[in-house]
Amino acid sequence: MPVDWLKGGLKLQGAALWFDARRQAEVSFVSHAHTDHIARHARAIGTRETLTLMQHRVGAIDVTVPLAYRQPWALGDLTLELFPAGHVLGAAQVRVTRPDGHRIVYTGDFSPGAFLTATRAEVPDCDTLIMESTFGHPKYRFPPREQVYDEVAAWCRRHLLQGVRPVLLAYSLGKSQESIQQLAARGLKVAAHESIHAISALYADLGVPIDARRFEGTFEAGEVGLFPPFKKHRPRDVGPVATAVLTGWALEAWGARRAGADVAFPVSDHADYPSLVAFARASGAREVITLFGFADELAAGLRREGLFARAVTETLQLDLFGQAAAPRPRRSRRR
Ligand SMILES: [Zn+2]
């Protein structure tokens, strides 16, 4: 395995390069600005959008290296290139080419298909693919994004007609901005919690205008509320309310309950199982390493498809002749 899985996260072997280090690192590639992928590094490499959004969250970083998609950049004897990942504005995968020509792709979080507020994910060719596996279990198959937003919009209209305020619950970075634009495209107006509004203003600064008003305690006629999925942020004293959480976990029976919502819609900014398998195949990788969520299950699924795959937490067993045998499964962290 060309990477080490350490306490602070994933690090390239034999080089001072981390991938989404969770603790302050000397040099880290940052795939996107979700809180479980960022820290206040000495030197952070990412897209201009990610570096802007992450500094909104962790404060100013000493040295930032903004890279455009597909713009090769040398870090010592390594060549780095970023590719779009869908997911949220600025999200990127990185391809590291070593001096021996071996190409390693780290996907970060990614999601295929079209977004209104993020660049559509590409599949970079590589030899080793390190891919996220949040929804890496065969039970996760998401309906098309446009279809789910049609259903969300219909649910909102139905409640507005009944005099009930529809309130959507979504993570403040990425899913909220995409949802606002998807609802605007369906003729609905949104009043958003201040944390969502602040990130939306950054999106606008970065050239992606977001069409929502900041919620100041009251709703205007016909407005849909949009709030982070935490109880403390819910609007109070605004009359009858119906809540819907937007999450890939909507496919689970507990999807709505966990967020304290009335219903859940499967709006996800991750790849579902079939997309993960298709992505691994299309990359041409000879070795696939899975991490996050259902890492063991995805690795097992990829092996059934004939790919050489294992979870980052699995140790590879070598037989007497140095041939790789089936990895020994170990428990992986679930999020
Ligand atoms: Zn993410």
Side-chain angles (χ1 to χ4, degrees):
M1 187 154 76
V3 286
D4 290 318
W5 180 238
L6 306 168
K7 254 190 180 164
L10 198 67
K11 183 178 169 295
L12 188 67
Q13 250 171 25
L17 176 64
W18 293 76
F19 301 101
D20 285 342
R22 302 223 184 94
R23 305 170 167 197
Q24 189 175 58
E26 275 302 306
V27 188
S28 184
F29 164 68
V30 181
S31 65
H32 66 290
H34 278 153
T35 47
D36 49 344
H37 293 257
I38 58 176
R40 204 168 170 184
H41 306 303
R43 198 173 175 203
I45 302 162
T47 62
R48 180 176 70 101
E49 292 83 355
T50 291
L51 295 171
T52 301
L53 293 163
M54 83 178 280
Q55 288 181 97
H56 171 71
R57 299 191 137 175
V58 300
I61 285 177
D62 286 348
V63 183
T64 55
V65 181
L67 296 180
Y69 296 128
R70 289 171 232 90
Q71 170 202 339
W73 182 76
L75 176 70
D77 56 5
L78 305 170
T79 303
L80 273 57
E81 292 164 279
L82 308 192
F83 296 88
H87 194 55
V88 304
L89 180 63
Q93 317 173 57
V94 64
R95 180 164 68 192
V96 180
T97 306
R98 296 192 312 212
D100 63 3
H102 190 93
R103 300 160 305 162
I104 300 159
V105 164
Y106 166 74
T107 63
D109 291 347
F110 73 96
S111 174
F115 282 83
L116 299 179
T117 56
T119 309
R120 194 183 186 111
E122 295 178 12
V123 188
D125 293 338
C126 60
D127 303 298
T128 297
L129 174 66
I130 305 166
M131 71 189 305
E132 68 125 331
S133 45
T134 307
F135 289 99
H137 188 289
K139 65 181 168 178
Y140 296 115
R141 284 155 200 271
F142 300 135
R145 190 168 287 123
E146 292 291 318
Q147 180 190 316
V148 183
Y149 276 115
D150 283 347
E151 290 168 14
V152 173
W155 179 89
C156 291
R157 284 187 203 292
R158 205 162 60 240
H159 284 92
L160 286 168
L161 280 173
Q162 293 165 356
V164 175
R165 182 71 52 192
V167 170
L168 304 175
L169 307 174
Y171 195 72
S172 59
L173 166 59
K175 197 169 300 174
S176 283
Q177 288 71 32
E178 179 71 15
S179 297
I180 290 166
Q181 294 310 96
Q182 292 280 1
L183 293 177
R186 288 163 176 79
L188 286 163
K189 291 182 296 176
V190 173
H193 182 263
E194 57 185 14
S195 62
I196 295 170
H197 192 264
I199 293 172
S200 301
L202 287 175
Y203 266 55
D205 292 346
L206 291 164
V208 181
I210 303 297
D211 203 3
R213 183 178 74 86
R214 178 185 160 128
F215 179 72
E216 306 275 10
T218 52
F219 286 108
E220 292 173 7
E223 273 184 340
V224 175
L226 180 62
F227 290 79
F230 309 106
K231 279 232 164 84
K232 62 175 179 180
H233 293 320
R234 300 280 164 87
R236 289 177 212 288
D237 306 322
V238 290
V241 159
T243 52
V245 62
L246 309 181
T247 172
W249 304 114
L251 298 182
E252 295 285 359
W254 43 260
R257 200 180 344 119
R258 189 173 79 158
D262 300 321
V263 293
F265 289 100
V267 174
S268 179
D269 48 20
H270 287 271
D272 64 1
Y273 184 82
S275 314
L276 289 165
V277 173
F279 188 98
R281 274 204 175 292
S283 75
R286 288 180 275 126
E287 175 187 37
V288 182
I289 298 161
T290 58
L291 78 164
F292 306 137
F294 290 92
D296 293 332
E297 290 81 355
L298 178 61
L302 292 173
R303 288 197 295 273
R304 284 195 298 276
E305 299 273 327
L307 293 167
F308 182 75
R310 68 189 136 134
V312 76
T313 50
E314 288 174 333
T315 42
L316 192 68
Q317 303 295 294
L318 296 179
D319 67 18
L320 286 174
F321 305 101
Q323 298 290 309
R328 185 181 55 181
R330 259 205 249 147
R331 285 189 126 183
S332 73
R333 202 168 49 87
R334 283 277 159 76
R335 288 188 317 171

